[in-house]
Every structure is written in structure tokens, then in C-alpha cells.
Amino acid sequence: LDVRSSVYKVFSVLVLMVAAQLIDFYMVLGRLLEERKESLEMWMSRTESEGYLPFTLDYLIEESHLQIIFFAALVGICIVLSWSGSVHGKVKTKRFLWRLRIDKRQVFVVWSCYHIICFAVLMAVQVFVVVVIHQIYQKQVGFGGAPQALLLVFYRDPFLHGIFPMSDMAKTVRLLCNIG
């Protein structure tokens, strides 16, 4: 019952995050394209080997407010999960669990797994948004296909590297094993 009541709220927070990040990125991209119109026209007239990008995807991600919007979504999901786990959110569930005679440990394990899944979905959605942003960037500014640009963005940007640590996977796994 609690999952059913909170999953829609978590989903709506994720949808708002995606919409806000895409709108913000599109506005920053439009502003930068307008500001650097001359250098962009000069870049388009050159050949691929002579040209330079007027701004990179790294710079666009730094200029947009992806971190702030992600943090707001993280706080929103924490609030939704905290409220659904509080006494006010669990009135119906407590009665239901008393009827089923489910142990408190089992309830704790289920809730812990549910919260971990919610935060993992938040991070997966953030990675998906960056992939979509990369596609928008490639259509507006890029040459076409440059898949290494997406890899470099995740490697260079500290925020994205924190969400999806590309080179530090062994360290991350070792850290998670040491916690338990």
C-alpha cells in the first residue's frame, strides 16, 4: 500500500526533473548559439579538420543547472519517501501488516530495497537525460556522430562522474564491499 501511494509521487518528481533539465539545457543552448552566431557560422564554413567547436558539451552542461535540478529532485524523492515511511503515511499499512503478521525485519528489508531502487532509478534517469542532451547537442552543433564526446563528458564532469564513475568502478565495488 505504501509503495503504491508513493511510487506515483516519485514518478512525478522524476518527470518534473527531466522536463526541467531538458528545458534548461535547451534554453542555455539557444542562448549560447545566439551569442556565438558569428563564430558558429565561421566554424560551419570550414572543413571538419580545420574547424573548432564554439563550445563543447562539457561547457554546456556546466552552464546549465543540471546539478541543482538533480539535487532538488533528490530532495523531493527523500521527502516523498520519508513521508510515506512516517507514522502519518503508514496508518493503513500498519493495520494491513498487523493482519498479515509480517515481522518488522521483513518490512525493513522490503522498504530498504524499495528506497534503493528509487534512488537507483533517479540516477539512471539522470544518465538517460545526459544521453538525450548529447543527442540534442550533436544535432544542433556537432558534426553528427561523436560517441566519444559522451564518454568524455562522464569522465571529465565531476557531477556526472559522481553519478556514473567510469574509471573508478573497481574502487566503487571495493568501497561497497568494505561497508558491509
Side-chain angles (χ1 to χ4, degrees), residues 101-169:
R101 299 185 195 271
I102 296 176
D103 187 24
K104 288 183 180 182
R105 283 186 180 176
Q106 292 171 339
V107 173
F108 177 75
V109 169
V110 168
W111 272 103
S112 299
C113 291
Y114 173 64
H115 289 184
I116 289 170
I117 288 170
C118 287
F119 291 121
V121 167
L122 174 68
M123 291 185 187
V125 167
Q126 182 62 49
V127 170
F128 174 73
V129 167
V130 174
V131 170
V132 170
I133 284 172
H134 175 255
Q135 294 298 323
I136 293 170
Y137 173 77
Q138 288 297 323
K139 287 181 183 175
Q140 295 288 326
V141 178
F143 290 114
Q148 69 273 15
L150 186 59
L151 174 81
L152 289 174
V153 166
F154 276 101
Y155 190 75
R156 288 183 197 163
D157 189 68
F159 165 65
L160 295 176
H161 189 71
I163 290 177
F164 191 62
M166 309 256 327
S167 66
D168 298 335
M169 280 302 212

Side-chain angles (χ1 to χ4, degrees), residues 89-103:
K90 282 191 163 183
V91 174
K92 293 179 185 176
T93 307
K94 280 187 177 179
R95 290 185 209 141
F96 183 70
L97 292 176
W98 286 337
R99 286 185 212 148
L100 293 178
R101 299 185 195 271
I102 296 176
D103 187 24

Side-chain angles (χ1 to χ4, degrees), residues 173-180:
V173 170
R174 189 175 63 206
L175 175 68
L176 290 175
C177 290
N178 289 335
I179 289 174

Side-chain angles (χ1 to χ4, degrees), residues 18-38:
V18 169
Q21 285 183 340
L22 290 177
I23 290 169
D24 180 52
F25 179 79
Y26 190 72
M27 290 173 59
V28 168
L29 179 64
R31 180 178 50 87
L32 288 175
L33 284 174
E34 190 64 36
E35 287 175 0
R36 300 180 181 188
K37 197 171 192 176
E38 301 97 25

Side-chain angles (χ1 to χ4, degrees), residues 33 37-48 51-52 54 139-143:
L33 284 174
K37 197 171 192 176
E38 301 97 25
S39 63
L40 187 63
E41 288 172 359
M42 181 179 67
W43 172 72
M44 291 292 208
S45 65
R46 294 181 174 188
T47 63
E48 190 173 310
Y52 67 95
K139 287 181 183 175
Q140 295 288 326
V141 178
F143 290 114

